[in-house]
Amino acid sequence: MAATGRQEMQRTTGEVRSRSATGNTSGKFVTQISRGNADERSIPEAHPATAADLTPLAFAGYAHFTAMQFRDGGVRGLDLHLARLRHASLQMFGQALPDAHIKHALRAALRAGPAEMSLVATVYSPEGEFTVAGAEAVPGLLVRTGPAWTGLTGGNGRAGPAGSLSLATFEHERVLPELKHVGEVAKTWFLRQAAARGFDDAAFKDRAGRLSEASIWNLAFWDGESVVWPVAAMLGGTTMGILRRQLTELGVPQREQEITMADLPTMRGAVVMNSWTPGVAVHRIDDVSIPLDSRFVALLTQAYAREPIVMP
């Protein structure tokens, strides 16, 4: 049987090596720790992660993160990534690391790596989970880099999905859906359930039947004139944020709508998106076929390309 779009996607994170954040000419990648510091005037140095550093994270589910792609000397939507980390830290820890500290750690990781890479910044409590930590437990920051997601099959980078996708829906409502937190076993569980049914990936609907998001993706739809964003409890992705503001600048109509399976036949296109890509077409959700409109994906790609690339 021919491989599906999801089957062609290499989902493994690959090996990540710890090493010095200076003097790198090897093209390897870095896992580094920056200790939390509540003093905005003093920026802590990042250092290669040791086993002792990683112990609080090894089995911890009380942490949050953001994932970004480093291209052409910078990152798109850096302000959105920083805002995501700040908001989640305030919600989970009651305090947030200063943006300057985070940008300093990101720069150290970026200087240590190749010209193009993917990067994950995780904020965690040194006290771990199943504890009640006070203001003295300033969060720590783990920065991990790895191969760039190329969006193409083959090559030296990780491969994104090839072709359009089919999604199987499951009733699932994430805990703290507005936060990008770790330890979400349900995402992989439902992905595997979808694959067992012959689909590429999983999409979620809430108890009211409203489509919200997919496993590691946001959803967007096209009615032939407007980009339609689903209304439900979900994680607002950074790529979604980039697209919404750039589509506004382009004068492209956008609207929000509660979307159920009954609404899908009225849609003229659908995509999933995340930090890897501004849009991968979806041709089927459950047993409902969705037209493939190349103009929709091209429009999202155009809008995404308008976003400035910023060095942390």
Side-chain angles (χ1 to χ4, degrees), residues 69-127:
Q69 301 298 313
F70 183 68
R71 301 282 190 278
D72 301 322
V75 175
R76 287 184 168 90
L78 178 63
D79 62 318
L80 300 176
H81 288 286
L82 293 173
R84 165 186 279 171
L85 294 177
R86 188 184 321 115
H87 172 71
S89 287
L90 291 173
Q91 293 295 309
M92 294 178 66
F93 308 125
Q95 58 183 309
L97 297 173
D99 287 355
H101 292 194
I102 295 174
K103 291 193 288 185
H104 176 78
L106 296 180
R107 286 195 299 270
L110 295 175
R111 285 195 300 267
E116 295 190 349
M117 69 178 90
S118 60
L119 183 149
V120 176
T122 301
V123 181
Y124 66 98
S125 170
E127 302 300 319

Side-chain angles (χ1 to χ4, degrees), residues 65-293:
F65 69 100
T66 192
M68 62 190 78
Q69 301 298 313
F70 183 68
R71 301 282 190 278
D72 301 322
V75 175
R76 287 184 168 90
L78 178 63
D79 62 318
L80 300 176
H81 288 286
L82 293 173
R84 165 186 279 171
L85 294 177
R86 188 184 321 115
H87 172 71
S89 287
L90 291 173
Q91 293 295 309
M92 294 178 66
F93 308 125
Q95 58 183 309
L97 297 173
D99 287 355
H101 292 194
I102 295 174
K103 291 193 288 185
H104 176 78
L106 296 180
R107 286 195 299 270
L110 295 175
R111 285 195 300 267
E116 295 190 349
M117 69 178 90
S118 60
L119 183 149
V120 176
T122 301
V123 181
Y124 66 98
S125 170
E127 302 300 319
E129 59 182 344
F130 310 122
T131 62
V132 179
E136 72 283 355
V138 179
L141 176 66
L142 174 79
V143 176
R144 177 168 53 91
T145 64
W149 289 97
T150 64
L152 303 170
T153 56
N156 294 325
R158 302 179 192 173
S164 59
L165 302 180
S166 60
L167 305 179
T169 67
F170 300 88
E171 183 176 318
H172 174 58
E173 299 178 17
R174 294 173 54 242
V175 175
L176 300 173
E178 73 280 7
L179 305 183
K180 192 175 181 70
H181 49 78
V182 304
E184 295 193 84
V185 65
K187 290 183 175 181
T188 302
W189 169 263
F190 287 121
L191 164 62
R192 295 184 177 188
Q193 295 298 306
R197 290 166 47 184
F199 290 84
D200 295 309
D201 212 325
F204 303 139
K205 52 190 177 184
D206 63 16
R207 68 195 72 183
R210 301 180 301 177
L211 289 167
S212 56
E213 54 195 339
S215 63
I216 57 171
W217 316 88
N218 282 121
L219 294 166
F221 298 88
W222 176 246
D223 66 6
E225 296 182 357
S226 302
V227 178
V228 185
W229 301 102
V231 174
M234 71 180 78
L235 174 69
T238 54
T239 298
M240 174 193 284
I242 289 171
L243 291 175
R244 294 189 74 150
R245 66 189 180 191
Q246 292 301 333
L247 289 168
T248 297
E249 290 294 319
L250 287 170
V252 176
Q254 303 176 72
R255 62 185 178 87
E256 297 180 346
Q257 177 184 331
E258 294 184 348
I259 299 175
T260 67
M261 293 298 297
D263 298 308
L264 293 183
T266 68
M267 298 298 169
R268 309 311 303 160
V271 298
V272 293
M273 64 187 65
N274 60 17
S275 70
W276 306 340
T277 171
V280 177
V282 174
H283 68 266
R284 181 163 62 103
I285 299 180
D286 286 347
D287 60 353
V288 180
S289 295
I290 300 176
L292 294 175
D293 189 336

